[in-house]
Amino acid sequence: MKNKKTMKIILYTLIVILIISIGVCAYLIITDIVKKEQRKNTTNFTPEKEECSVVTEDLNQIHPIDGCTTSTFTVNKVTLDGVDMKLEATFIKGKDDIFTINLKLDDKGISAANFSNSALNFYRSQVSIINDSLLLIQSDTGDQMDTQNITIINNQKEVLLNERQVKITEKEENEFIIHRYNFLSMVCEDEENKDKIFEVDFTYKLEDNKIKLKELKNITCNEYVTNGE
């Protein structure tokens, strides 16, 4: 009897030790996983800077900077049709990584619908000069046609063109085409839409520091599909 009692005590003790050992191992494993995850999160998390400023001579560098809520670019000399001016472009990050633009020429703010808070300019914006005389700002809208918000400004700081959700293509040195689509309200492949206008092409001519409409062409769904656009 005494030996049986001793064996039971030893057995119970071993079971308790085993349970405690399993608990300790589980605790250590869970603690190690939590610490690794914390280290991982700490390593990957980079707080955004409130403001980033860049002085450059290259217009191609002008776009929102990753990790910055506000990205300001200053180009001290931009020449438009022989007139030198200072350019300052500021990208302000909103929700869903969507940006708005504040643009200044010689410290004068440029007012354009595409620069407003409701314009919803997406991540990529491009600033360039066309015909050595006009400033072109293109901002991706993120739709299925890869359209852009287009703003064109002359050396008098006048907004000559302000279009939303369009495409721009250069035709000749002093001409360009703006393509406007009706893709949001119709499916071109549907039979009932074949004679409806799907695309409107505006051909503009650059003349005397101004933009003049040269030609307007309506393209039906049937033409659009047949031409394999």
Side-chain angles (χ1 to χ4, degrees):
M1 291 291 294
K2 186 175 180 180
N3 288 338
K4 287 184 178 181
K5 186 176 181 179
T6 301
M7 290 296 293
K8 285 182 178 180
I9 293 173
I10 293 173
L11 180 61
Y12 290 151
T13 301
L14 291 174
I15 292 173
V16 170
I17 292 173
L18 179 62
I19 292 172
I20 293 173
S21 299
I22 292 173
V24 170
C25 288
Y27 171 79
L28 293 175
I29 291 172
I30 293 172
T31 301
D32 184 60
I33 292 173
V34 171
K35 287 183 177 179
K36 285 181 178 179
E37 192 64 28
Q38 287 176 340
R39 286 196 298 269
K40 179 181 176 182
N41 292 338
T42 302
T43 301
N44 292 339
F45 176 72
T46 302
E48 287 194 340
K49 299 178 182 178
E50 287 298 316
E51 183 173 348
C52 299
S53 299
V54 176
V55 177
T56 181
E57 297 179 359
D58 186 0
L59 294 179
N60 292 324
Q61 289 187 1
I62 300 178
H63 61 81
I65 302 173
D66 287 339
C68 301
T69 55
T70 301
S71 308
T72 299
F73 290 83
T74 301
V75 183
N76 288 314
K77 182 181 177 181
V78 173
T79 304
L80 299 178
D81 200 24
V83 178
D84 296 336
M85 61 186 69
K86 174 184 174 183
L87 180 150
E88 182 179 288
T90 300
F91 299 90
I92 303 171
K93 185 177 182 180
K95 63 179 181 179
D96 300 325
D97 291 336
I98 294 175
F99 289 82
T100 56
I101 302 174
N102 287 338
L103 186 72
K104 292 182 180 180
L105 292 174
D106 285 338
D107 297 322
K108 176 188 175 181
I110 304 300
S111 178
N114 284 342
F115 302 154
S116 68
N117 291 335
S118 60
L120 300 182
N121 295 310
F122 273 60
Y123 173 77
R124 183 65 186 175
S125 289
Q126 180 180 352
V127 180
S128 59
I129 296 175
I130 55 176
N131 199 36
D132 294 325
S133 60
L134 301 177
L135 190 68
L136 170 65
I137 297 93
Q138 302 167 259
S139 299
D140 295 341
T141 61
D143 59 39
Q144 72 246 36
M145 298 295 289
D146 295 324
T147 65
Q148 299 173 321
N149 294 338
I150 303 291
T151 304
I152 296 179
I153 304 165
N154 67 8
N155 61 7
Q156 302 300 312
K157 307 176 184 65
E158 297 173 318
V159 176
L160 303 182
L161 197 70
N162 191 89
E163 296 285 349
R164 296 176 58 77
Q165 289 185 293
V166 296
K167 277 187 176 182
I168 182 171
T169 55
E170 293 186 21
K171 186 177 181 182
E172 296 177 3
E173 182 180 355
N174 294 323
E175 292 183 358
F176 62 90
I177 301 176
I178 293 288
H179 309 266
R180 178 176 296 282
Y181 302 96
N182 195 24
F183 63 94
L184 292 178
S185 60
M186 71 170 73
V187 177
C188 235
E189 285 75 10
D190 290 350
E191 182 66 21
E192 65 269 21
N193 293 329
K194 67 177 184 178
D195 294 324
K196 292 182 179 179
I197 296 173
F198 177 76
E199 178 184 342
V200 182
D201 290 349
F202 303 85
T203 300
Y204 289 98
K205 184 176 181 63
L206 308 179
E207 190 175 288
D208 298 327
N209 210 21
K210 298 289 184 178
I211 295 176
K212 298 181 179 180
L213 181 61
K214 179 181 177 182
E215 182 184 1
L216 186 152
K217 182 180 180 182
N218 292 321
I219 299 175
T220 65
C221 271
N222 187 51
E223 292 173 316
Y224 184 84
V225 174
T226 301
N227 292 334
E229 298 290 343

